[in-house]
């Protein structure tokens, strides 16, 4: 009887040890998969940030060129300066849009799937969150220029520019004072956009430094 009990107890212990080993191995396997997934996410985020930085630097250079053009043209508008007509031909480069679309699919996927919890480094997690929050602030500053383009500059070009006489080589801008005021507003909005873009680039650099 005692031998049977000892044998049964041994069998139970073997089963318990076997289950424990299987559970531990399964846990290790899950941890390994989670770690691999986390590293893949971080690599993708790093790649996204590098692309964002490249695009922001291109936008920054474009903004600088537009500000330079405006600084050349603005003093001539609403004056009798003979260079006004020829210089204004460069103004159309200012009207083009330079939008920024953050590559945040990886980040949004992590948030929506709940995988953001895989990042167990509190400082890194906070830095990533702050970076994408900075984008929202930056894009708010971008909106100022879009509003001026849509509500003021576009309306002026439709109502106050005679393209027919411009095709004949004549000066076709009416109400130059209004035109100058709008372009001065554009210049101010570009400067705000420039500062915001610069901050965006710095935010990219800060996050790239701590990403593994």
């Amino acid at each position: 009887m005692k031998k049977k009990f000892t044998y049964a107890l041994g069998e139970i212990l073997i089963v318990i040890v076997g289950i424990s080993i299987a559970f531990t191995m399964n846990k290790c396997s899950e941890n390994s998969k989670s770690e691999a997934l986390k590293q893949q996410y971080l690599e993708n985020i790093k790649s996204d940030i590098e692309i964002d930085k490249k695009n922001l630097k291109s936008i920054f250079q474009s903004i600088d060129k537009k500000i330079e053009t405006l600084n050349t043209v603005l003093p001539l508008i609403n004056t009798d300066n003979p260079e006004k007509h020829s210089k204004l031909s460069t103004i159309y480069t200012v009207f083009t849009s330079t939008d920024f679309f953050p590559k945040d699919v990886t980040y949004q996927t992590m948030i929506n799937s709940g995988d953001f919890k895989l990042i167990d480094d509190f400082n890194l997690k906070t830095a990533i969150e702050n970076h994408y929050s900075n984008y929202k602030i930056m894009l708010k500053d971008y909106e100022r220029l879009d509003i001026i383009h849509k509500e003021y500059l576009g309306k002026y070009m439709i109502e106050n520019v005679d393209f027919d006489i411009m095709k004949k080589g004549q000066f076709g801008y009416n109400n130059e004072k209004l035109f100058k005021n709008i372009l001065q507003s554009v210049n101010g909005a570009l400067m705000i956009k420039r500062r915001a873009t610069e901050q965006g680039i710095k935010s990219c650099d800060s996050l790239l430094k701590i990403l593994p």
Side-chain angles (χ1 to χ4, degrees):
M1 185 69 178
K2 186 176 181 180
K3 287 183 179 180
K4 289 183 178 180
F5 177 76
T6 303
Y7 178 79
L9 182 60
E11 289 291 314
I12 292 172
L13 287 174
I14 290 172
V15 172
I16 292 173
V17 170
I19 292 173
S20 298
I21 292 173
F23 178 79
T24 301
M25 290 179 66
N26 186 55
K27 188 69 175 177
C28 289
S29 178
E30 288 180 2
N31 290 340
S32 178
K33 289 180 181 178
S34 295
E35 182 63 23
L37 182 60
K38 181 184 78 172
Q39 292 304 319
Q40 186 62 59
Y41 273 132
L42 291 176
E43 288 177 13
N44 289 349
I45 285 180
K46 186 174 183 178
S47 177
D48 290 346
I49 301 302
E50 287 172 343
I51 293 172
D52 282 347
K53 179 185 174 182
K54 181 180 179 180
N55 291 337
L56 286 171
K57 289 179 73 173
S58 177
I59 290 172
F60 188 86
Q61 293 171 355
S62 175
I63 292 171
D64 268 352
K65 290 179 181 178
K66 290 177 180 180
I67 291 174
E68 182 180 351
T69 298
L70 282 170
N71 288 338
T72 300
V73 172
L74 275 170
L76 305 177
I77 300 176
N78 206 26
T79 70
D80 295 325
N81 192 306
E83 293 185 353
K84 178 174 64 175
H85 192 185
S86 60
K87 293 289 184 181
L88 269 173
S89 62
T90 65
I91 201 67
Y92 289 99
T93 59
V94 176
F95 301 164
T96 57
S97 178
T98 50
D99 296 321
F100 174 66
F101 302 98
K103 287 185 65 63
D104 61 352
V105 174
T106 302
Y107 175 68
Q108 294 299 334
T109 298
M110 293 182 74
I111 295 297
N112 295 333
S113 66
D115 286 341
F116 198 59
K117 66 179 182 294
L118 293 174
I119 301 177
D120 48 7
D121 185 326
F122 177 78
N123 291 331
L124 177 58
K125 182 182 290 188
T126 301
I128 293 172
E129 289 175 325
N130 288 341
H131 174 74
Y132 286 100
S133 292
N134 289 339
Y135 277 166
K136 293 179 181 179
I137 297 171
M138 186 187 75
L139 292 175
K140 280 289 183 183
D141 287 334
Y142 274 37
E143 287 180 9
R144 298 170 185 264
L145 185 60
D146 292 336
I147 292 171
I148 295 173
H149 273 280
K150 291 175 182 177
E151 298 186 8
Y152 298 98
L153 185 57
K155 184 178 180 181
Y156 172 85
M157 297 300 289
I158 292 172
E159 297 179 356
N160 294 281
V161 179
D162 190 333
F163 292 100
D164 288 333
I165 67 170
M166 287 177 68
K167 290 176 182 178
K168 298 176 182 178
Q170 301 178 41
F171 189 77
Y173 296 94
N174 300 315
N175 197 344
E176 287 185 63
K177 184 177 181 180
L178 174 61
F179 189 37
K180 188 170 186 177
N181 286 341
I182 293 172
L183 291 182
Q184 284 173 330
S185 297
V186 169
N187 200 31
L190 279 169
M191 290 180 181
I192 292 172
K193 186 172 182 177
R194 185 183 187 275
R195 286 195 297 269
T197 304
E198 187 175 27
Q199 290 301 315
I201 295 171
K202 288 180 179 178
S203 182
C204 288
D205 283 334
S206 297
L207 185 53
L208 288 172
K209 285 180 181 178
I210 64 174
L211 280 168

